[in-house]
């Protein structure tokens, strides 16, 4: 018998596409996708169950379907897509707490995979050249998506201590990018002119959407537990990325760019958050040694190749689907 995998967040295209991808894996017997609304588009062999992970009923779904592996993908990066910051925090933090409580009560659960993000490290002038998984942000996040992720990771670590019999794999992914991805970062690069902080040329890392699906599937099918940075090899300077897009940049003082970001956010042109402004000022690098040596995963795309594929999609075609990438 293969694995029975439950995937959260399948109403968003990233979760739906991974669930469909996993359902085609012969090593996986069944994939159950859960969310409050049905997914749009082709769901392949995935079975959909309407359920809200903020509700204790999710425990009944896990028990009824004999789930042995949970892949948690329903952490939202943009308040606009959630209906506001309050709803976003409730979905992210309260939803994760309820899901973990359900996992706690599931005796047949063997493996929990959590899609986290490098945003948890923050971005500042005092950062190391490369963050390893044992490092912490120089300044704890006080609001927004970064604070949600920091709290979620804490709850996941608590679950791992309470259920040492369950393998827990946490993937801190770089910004997911590709020809179909719509995210705060991809929306920024789709602006007609790219605003940037005067005097800074940050280093960026990316993870191609196909490599995200691959690393999630790899984690489901292998027994390595722990926390892993996941990114394409190498880094890309912001100036190099802008040149690859064939666009002009507009250098601005940081305060002015922050004001512009608020305006773009209010007008829903781009979800330009304070944490995004920080990474576009100071950059961020994640060491991926553990990803290769312990998790045993090698991305097919380097950071530059992943961004080149995204850039080609902007230049030559409209996005086929909106895929939330954090």
């Amino acid at each position: 018998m293969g694995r029975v995998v439950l995937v959260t967040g399948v109403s968003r295209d990233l979760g739906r596409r991974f669930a469909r991808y996993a359902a085609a894996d012969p090593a996986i017997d069944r994939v159950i996708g859960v969310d409050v609304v049905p997914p749009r588009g082709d769901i392949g062999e995935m079975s959909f169950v309407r359920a809200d992970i903020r509700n204790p009923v999710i425990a009944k779904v896990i028990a009824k379907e004999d789930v042995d592996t949970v892949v948690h993908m329903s952490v939202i990066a943009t308040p606009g897509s959630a209906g506001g910051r309050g709803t976003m925090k409730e979905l992210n933090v309260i939803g994760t707490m309820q899901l973990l409580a359900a996992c706690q009560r599931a005796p047949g659960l063997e493996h929990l995979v959590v899609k986290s993000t490098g945003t948890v490290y923050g971005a500042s002038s005092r950062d190391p050249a490369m963050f390893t998984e044992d490092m912490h942000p120089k300044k704890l996040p006080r609001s927004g998506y970064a604070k949600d992720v920091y709290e979620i990771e804490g709850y996941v670590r608590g679950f791992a201590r309470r259920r040492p019999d369950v393998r827990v794999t946490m993937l801190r992914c770089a910004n997911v990018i590709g020809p179909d991805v719509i995210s705060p970062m991809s929306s920024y690069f789709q602006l007609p002119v790219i605003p940037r902080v005067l005097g800074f040329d940050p280093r960026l890392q990316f993870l191609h959407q196909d490599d995200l699906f691959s690393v999630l599937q790899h984690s489901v099918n292998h027994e390595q537990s722990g926390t892993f940075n996941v990114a394409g090899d190498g880094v890309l300077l912001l100036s190099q990325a802008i040149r690859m897009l064939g666009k002009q940049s507009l250098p601005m003082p940081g305060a002015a760019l922050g004001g512009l970001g608020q305006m773009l956010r209010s007008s829903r042109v781009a979800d330009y958050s304070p944490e995004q402004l920080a990474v576009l000022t100071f950059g961020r690098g994640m060491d991926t040694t553990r990803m290769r040596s312990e998790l045993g995963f090698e991305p097919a795309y380097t950071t530059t190749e992943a961004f080149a594929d995204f850039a080609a999609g902007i230049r030559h075609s409209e996005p086929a689907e909106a895929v939330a990438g954090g």
Side-chain angles (χ1 to χ4, degrees), residues 149-220:
V149 175
Y150 188 83
E151 292 181 9
I152 287 166
E153 286 204 358
Y155 293 131
V156 172
R157 286 190 292 270
F159 169 81
R161 290 191 294 270
R162 293 189 301 273
R163 285 291 304 269
D165 58 311
V166 176
R167 297 189 306 277
V168 178
T169 306
M170 192 143 55
L171 305 174
R172 289 178 179 161
C173 300
N175 283 289
V176 179
I177 208 154
D180 303 327
V181 172
I182 295 178
S183 68
M185 186 64 79
S186 68
S187 297
Y188 165 76
F189 283 117
Q190 292 186 67
L191 294 172
V193 178
I194 311 295
R196 51 183 298 194
V197 181
L198 183 66
F200 291 86
D201 195 9
R203 298 169 305 128
L204 305 173
Q205 284 177 312
F206 296 104
L207 179 68
H208 194 276
Q209 61 191 51
D210 293 349
D211 284 325
L212 172 65
F213 301 146
S214 295
V215 73
L216 288 166
Q217 184 183 39
H218 178 91
S219 298
V220 168

Side-chain angles (χ1 to χ4, degrees), residues 11 16 31 108 131 153 182 238 243 250:
S11 69
R16 174 185 64 83
V31 174
F131 279 100
E153 286 204 358
I182 295 178
L238 178 58
R243 284 197 297 272
L250 177 62

Side-chain angles (χ1 to χ4, degrees), residues 10-303:
V10 296
S11 69
R12 288 181 295 279
D13 289 332
L14 188 67
R16 174 185 64 83
R17 292 177 64 180
F18 168 68
R20 187 181 67 185
Y21 183 89
D25 183 350
I28 296 175
D29 187 40
R30 290 188 294 129
V31 174
I32 300 98
V34 298
D35 217 320
V36 292
V37 295
R40 298 173 300 170
D42 182 16
I43 65 172
E45 298 299 316
M46 174 186 75
S47 300
F48 174 71
V49 175
R50 188 190 296 266
D52 189 339
I53 64 170
R54 294 171 293 177
N55 191 305
V57 73
I58 190 64
K60 296 181 179 179
V61 177
I62 293 174
K64 180 182 178 182
E65 299 291 344
D66 294 322
V67 171
D68 57 61
T69 302
V70 170
V71 180
H72 184 31
M73 297 185 65
S74 59
V75 180
I76 301 169
T78 55
S81 65
R85 171 59 190 150
T87 304
M88 172 184 168
K89 184 173 181 64
E90 183 179 321
L91 288 166
N92 287 347
V93 179
I94 304 303
T96 298
M97 290 174 66
Q98 287 286 4
L99 178 66
L100 293 176
C103 291
Q104 175 77 27
R105 299 193 297 272
L109 188 71
E110 299 175 2
H111 196 181
L112 171 66
V113 180
V114 178
K115 179 193 172 293
S116 188
T117 169
T119 302
V120 74
Y121 293 119
S124 77
S125 59
R126 298 179 294 140
D127 287 349
M130 290 287 177
F131 279 100
T132 66
E133 290 85 350
D134 299 323
M135 294 179 177
H136 301 281
K138 295 299 181 182
K139 184 178 181 181
L140 294 182
R142 293 182 293 180
S143 62
Y145 176 54
K147 186 173 188 293
D148 289 357
V149 175
Y150 188 83
E151 292 181 9
I152 287 166
E153 286 204 358
Y155 293 131
V156 172
R157 286 190 292 270
F159 169 81
R161 290 191 294 270
R162 293 189 301 273
R163 285 291 304 269
D165 58 311
V166 176
R167 297 189 306 277
V168 178
T169 306
M170 192 143 55
L171 305 174
R172 289 178 179 161
C173 300
N175 283 289
V176 179
I177 208 154
D180 303 327
V181 172
I182 295 178
S183 68
M185 186 64 79
S186 68
S187 297
Y188 165 76
F189 283 117
Q190 292 186 67
L191 294 172
V193 178
I194 311 295
R196 51 183 298 194
V197 181
L198 183 66
F200 291 86
D201 195 9
R203 298 169 305 128
L204 305 173
Q205 284 177 312
F206 296 104
L207 179 68
H208 194 276
Q209 61 191 51
D210 293 349
D211 284 325
L212 172 65
F213 301 146
S214 295
V215 73
L216 288 166
Q217 184 183 39
H218 178 91
S219 298
V220 168
N221 289 332
H222 292 77
E223 297 188 356
Q224 290 83 355
S225 61
T227 299
F228 303 95
N229 294 334
V230 182
D233 191 37
V235 297
L236 188 67
L237 295 176
L238 178 58
S239 60
Q240 294 173 322
I242 294 172
R243 284 197 297 272
M244 290 173 68
L245 291 167
K247 294 188 177 185
Q248 298 294 317
S249 66
L250 177 62
M252 304 174 65
L257 187 53
L260 175 61
Q262 290 180 350
M263 184 182 72
L264 293 172
R265 200 171 188 176
S266 299
S267 61
R268 296 183 179 271
V269 173
D271 212 319
Y272 199 86
S273 63
E275 53 258 32
Q276 180 158 318
L277 176 59
V279 78
L280 291 172
T281 303
F282 303 109
R284 179 170 53 239
M286 299 191 300
D287 183 278
T288 56
T289 301
R290 190 179 293 180
M291 174 190 75
R292 293 176 172 85
S293 63
E294 296 182 25
L295 186 61
F297 179 75
E298 181 71 38
Y301 292 79
T302 66
T303 280

